[in-house]
Amino acid sequence: MNAVLVYVSGVFHLFYQHNPHADMPGNLSWGHATSPDLIHWTEHPVALPARESHVIYSGSVVTDGHNTSGLKSGEQPPLVALYTGHTDRHPARQHLDKQHHEAQYLAYSADGGHTWQYGGETAVLDLDKADFRDPKVFWDGQRSRWVMLVVHPDERQVEFYSSPNLQVWKPLSTFGPAGQVEGIWEMPEFFALPDPQGVDRWVLKVDFNPGGLYGGSGAQYWVGDFDGTTFTPLTSSQTLDFGPDFYAALSWSDLPGRRVWLAWMNNWAYAAMIPTAPWRGTFTVPRELSLGPELQLIQRPVKELEALREASVPILPPQDQKMYPLSVTHAHELRLQVETHGGAELHLEFLSAEGVEAQVTLSASEVSVTRPDAHLEVPGFGGTHRAPRRDGQPQYDMHLLLDLGSLELFGCNGQISLTDLLLPAAPIETLRISAHTGASVISGQLYQLRSIWERK
């Protein structure tokens, strides 16, 4: 499920909602993994186990470099986690229709994130609400204080708070309802990025369920200004990813010089039915973020992934169609420069012994991914997922990552992204590229990728 990310002394930490005892929601805790390079990951013991009084929902981890919390007990600055504690049946709500309760709690680590202590049974922010969750915390250096966003799901609102010490919080402002309000809101994210003129703008992202483009869950964002109290959008709500399986994206806290995030690759419409074992659910590849000329969010796979490239073959311009063999045990990366005019289309079909397992169509007006209905019972899984092009250019790039059970596509220099889980009836073993009505490949390269579990 969704991740909580922090960068500490050259190490990427990934905490994630996790049931240590089953592959279904329940007993929610924070699992823990670390990486030196965003590629190779080491699993660690559960960081925050479910408590007797509440389970552990999403939140944030930050480095308290100034020890504002007073929780430092060694040479290292403390890591502080702010998380939502969820209680199914709260004694004070037994007379209400909604008997569950959510509030924001604190935990901390004195050894760089490997062992944790809870900050007592008392919440640091409690509005006595059933649904009030997913704190996003960051240090506002200009004003020397902490800022936290927490979502009010049913009201479709994000509320801003400030604190001098991560433990006492006062309200600042509220954003919403706005944009997509069909479903409840969850998982806010908020950070600054420079626009093409070098002016810092703020990106506010929020997820929703239902109301996604293809049913189930989805995500939207705004770009605007933040004066330390209020977020003022300069854009309307924009779609974050045009595939069905990109949810709960969060970025690494305290990562200097760049903004990188990843998301839960799943959809609430069928998350509990994905027929995988012994795990259920996965994350996208990490993505580097920037802002485009129209204040759109640009997403590109991080450069670190290039270290996994092994064998490669050039993709030649197809006069009709060409076939390229794929390894059934490896992931692949495909880079293309294509040209499409008018109604021209370039089709990429990913084939198994059972037939077409996914098709990508590139045209002058859109990029699309089509996946068949799952061979196992996963209602709503099949369909075509479309991303409109806004650049209007006949030539553009496409960057595709194909794993054994997923497809992540980035187009038009990262202006377009589509994220799709795949449930192939048999392993994908062939790529077929065919041109229609004058579409063409200008240049391209197909890479086989080494497994992240293999070390050089």
Side-chain angles (χ1 to χ4, degrees), residues 173-196:
S173 64
T174 301
F175 175 82
Q180 173 56 267
V181 295
E182 178 182 338
I184 62 166
W185 281 14
E186 294 186 313
M187 296 302 301
E189 171 63 295
F190 193 61
F191 51 80
L193 286 175
D195 68 13

Side-chain angles (χ1 to χ4, degrees), residues 190-204 222-226 231 234 291 295:
F190 193 61
F191 51 80
L193 286 175
D195 68 13
Q197 287 73 46
V199 178
D200 274 352
R201 304 297 185 184
W202 286 84
V203 178
L204 173 62
W222 298 260
V223 179
D225 293 326
F226 180 61
F231 171 70
L234 298 173
L291 285 180
L295 295 184

Side-chain angles (χ1 to χ4, degrees), residues 206-445:
V206 68
D207 300 275
F208 50 85
N209 178 48
L213 293 172
Y214 316 102
S217 47
Q220 62 184 331
Y221 72 95
W222 298 260
V223 179
D225 293 326
F226 180 61
D227 63 5
T229 299
T230 303
F231 171 70
T232 303
L234 298 173
T235 69
S236 59
S237 165
Q238 302 186 69
T239 298
L240 184 59
D241 187 286
F242 288 89
D245 297 315
F246 190 87
Y247 196 76
L250 288 177
S251 64
W252 266 274
S253 299
D254 305 324
L255 179 61
R258 60 196 297 208
R259 182 64 61 175
V260 176
W261 73 3
L262 52 69
W264 182 46
M265 195 189 301
N266 221 322
N267 188 303
W268 278 121
Y270 43 69
M273 295 178 280
I274 297 298
T276 58
W279 48 266
R280 178 179 283 120
T282 187
F283 292 114
T284 66
V285 298
R287 303 177 179 190
E288 194 102 24
L289 304 178
S290 60
L291 285 180
E294 298 180 21
L295 295 184
Q296 73 271 41
L297 195 61
I298 305 297
Q299 302 186 71
R300 297 185 179 97
V302 293
K303 287 284 189 181
E304 285 89 339
L305 292 169
E306 294 177 5
L308 297 175
R309 291 173 178 173
E310 289 187 319
S312 67
V313 296
I315 301 296
L316 303 175
Q319 296 179 3
D320 181 15
Q321 66 176 26
K322 283 188 169 61
M323 311 283 278
Y324 297 87
L326 302 175
S327 168
V328 299
T329 58
H330 287 74
H332 294 82
E333 178 185 10
L334 179 62
R335 301 296 304 266
L336 290 180
Q337 288 288 328
V338 304
E339 186 167 32
T340 54
H341 295 272
E345 292 184 347
L346 192 75
H347 293 172
L348 314 176
E349 294 175 297
F350 297 91
L351 311 173
S352 74
E354 297 295 323
V356 178
E357 301 291 355
Q359 177 177 298
V360 173
T361 301
L362 310 175
S363 75
S365 61
E366 68 176 23
V367 176
S368 68
V369 175
T370 300
R371 63 186 183 189
D373 286 318
H375 61 288
L376 300 172
E377 288 298 321
V378 183
F381 192 81
T384 298
H385 312 133
R386 307 177 188 276
R389 292 184 56 203
R390 300 196 298 184
D391 60 329
Q393 300 298 314
Q395 295 184 8
Y396 63 100
D397 71 289
M398 191 214 67
H399 189 177
L400 186 147
L401 296 169
L402 175 74
D403 208 341
L404 304 186
S406 64
L407 187 156
E408 297 180 62
L409 188 154
F410 307 86
C412 302
N413 293 311
Q415 295 180 37
I416 290 172
S417 65
L418 294 102
T419 305
D420 280 72
L421 286 172
L422 301 179
L423 294 173
I428 294 172
E429 58 188 16
T430 306
L431 165 62
R432 180 167 62 202
I433 302 181
S434 55
H436 299 263
T437 324
S440 64
V441 172
I442 299 170
S443 63
Q445 202 76 17

